[in-house]
Amino acid sequence: MPLSRRAFLSYLLTGGVSLLAGRVAGNVYHAEVTRHRLSLRGLREPLRVVQLSDLHYGPYLRAGSVRAWVAQALAVQGDLIVITGDTVDRWSQGTLAPLVRALSALSAPLGVWACLGNHDHYRFGADLGALADALAEAGITLLVNRGTLLRDDLYLAGVDDLSSGTPDLAAALGGAPGGAATLLMCHQPDYFPLMTLPADLTLAGHTHGGQVVLPFVGAPVTSSAYGERYLQGWAPPPDGGFGKAYVTRGLGVSTLPLRFNCPAELAVFDLEPET
């Protein structure tokens, strides 16, 4: 028996919603692994860095999602793992024990390190020590306006969040020895023009790549005062300074539990000595 117009439209709508839901869910809960190769001055031995960002553990992203991202991160066998802020969502409630258990599987020869994002500040406020303790329990060290020498040729630093914290770049990079490569964790890319990228490589997140990117329109929301300038990928060269900078789309979501035309990203950097 032929379908009525109403039945046909109902089937079409149901199929379209199912297709969209599948695309949205896939974009949220499975990360695209992007790979980047570049030379870095001061580096004397190759280095593989794995960047996670914007996990937003909370109402939309739970421990199961974090475990999946951790498995992806471990599969690429990095020398160093960094988490560039917004590990938790501002709306997360209750204990962080499931997050700690999921993150505790992360490991790398040069360690797992993190910096703060604006949502970390929103969630914990003056009690940021509780987040630092939870991360430490998972084997992750939080760097807030400080750095550490990981190898004779590699200095890692982290600055506080631009809008919710008090970033101090001089304190973060002050301990870097001359001649060593410097790697900086910085949550918000809007800090780039203010600091003119003095580190050799700066890794950031925050924008989520727009999270929703519409055909012919782009990203209606970028979470940046610079529009799409620092939306995702390699940042334009700064006015002054010498460093390179990368903005990942991140892993989680905020405000709405969806991504569209903007899959989650786990970034891998194969760094080589500058010839």
Side-chain angles (χ1 to χ4, degrees):
M1 184 175 70
L3 289 174
S4 67
R5 182 172 180 272
R6 175 173 294 184
F8 173 76
L9 291 176
S10 176
Y11 281 122
L12 186 65
L13 178 60
T14 301
V17 169
S18 298
L19 179 63
L20 177 61
R23 185 174 187 181
V24 168
N27 280 341
V28 170
Y29 299 109
H30 179 74
E32 175 187 358
V33 178
T34 62
R35 294 181 179 270
H36 314 272
R37 185 178 299 273
L38 68 154
S39 59
L40 219 58
R41 73 175 194 174
L43 206 63
R44 294 191 291 274
E45 296 180 12
L47 175 74
R48 175 170 289 178
V49 180
V50 182
Q51 181 192 12
L52 293 77
S53 191
D54 299 89
L55 279 66
H56 283 278
Y57 176 80
Y60 302 138
L61 285 307
R62 307 303 293 171
S65 300
V66 177
R67 286 195 296 270
W69 297 329
V70 166
Q72 286 187 276
L74 293 175
V76 299
Q77 298 180 325
D79 300 304
L80 169 66
I81 297 175
V82 298
I83 304 174
T84 50
D86 281 3
T87 304
V88 298
D89 192 85
R90 69 185 301 171
W91 305 117
S92 64
Q93 297 179 349
T95 177
L96 294 183
L99 174 65
V100 169
R101 287 194 294 269
L103 289 176
S104 63
L106 281 176
S107 65
L110 295 178
V112 186
W113 307 80
C115 70
L116 289 173
N118 54 309
H119 277 256
D120 300 320
H121 277 277
Y122 296 154
R123 168 64 176 83
F124 285 93
D127 193 24
L128 283 167
L131 176 60
D133 290 344
L135 292 176
E137 187 179 347
I140 301 169
T141 303
L142 188 64
L143 293 180
V144 184
N145 296 330
R146 65 188 183 96
T148 183
L149 190 65
L150 297 182
R151 292 188 331 203
D152 289 343
D153 63 340
L154 178 66
Y155 185 85
L156 174 69
V159 290
D160 202 356
D161 180 66
L162 175 63
S163 62
S164 302
T166 53
D168 186 337
L169 193 63
L173 294 175
T182 52
L183 177 60
L184 177 67
M185 297 181 293
C186 169
H187 180 63
Q188 296 199 35
D190 280 13
Y191 197 28
F192 292 173
L194 302 178
M195 63 182 183
T196 61
L197 302 181
D200 294 284
L201 176 62
T202 302
L203 300 179
H206 181 66
T207 64
H208 298 196
Q211 195 168 304
V212 173
V213 179
L214 302 177
F216 310 110
V217 175
V221 178
T222 66
S223 300
S224 170
Y226 298 91
E228 295 193 357
R229 179 178 175 86
Y230 301 123
L231 187 63
Q232 62 175 305
W234 292 104
D239 297 327
F242 58 82
K244 300 179 178 69
Y246 188 84
V247 184
T248 178
R249 297 188 300 269
L251 295 165
V253 294
S254 62
T255 307
L256 295 173
L258 60 86
R259 281 182 178 266
F260 186 75
N261 281 339
C262 186
E265 177 184 12
L266 188 148
V268 180
F269 302 86
D270 283 306
L271 309 178
E272 300 173 344
E274 194 173 60
T275 56

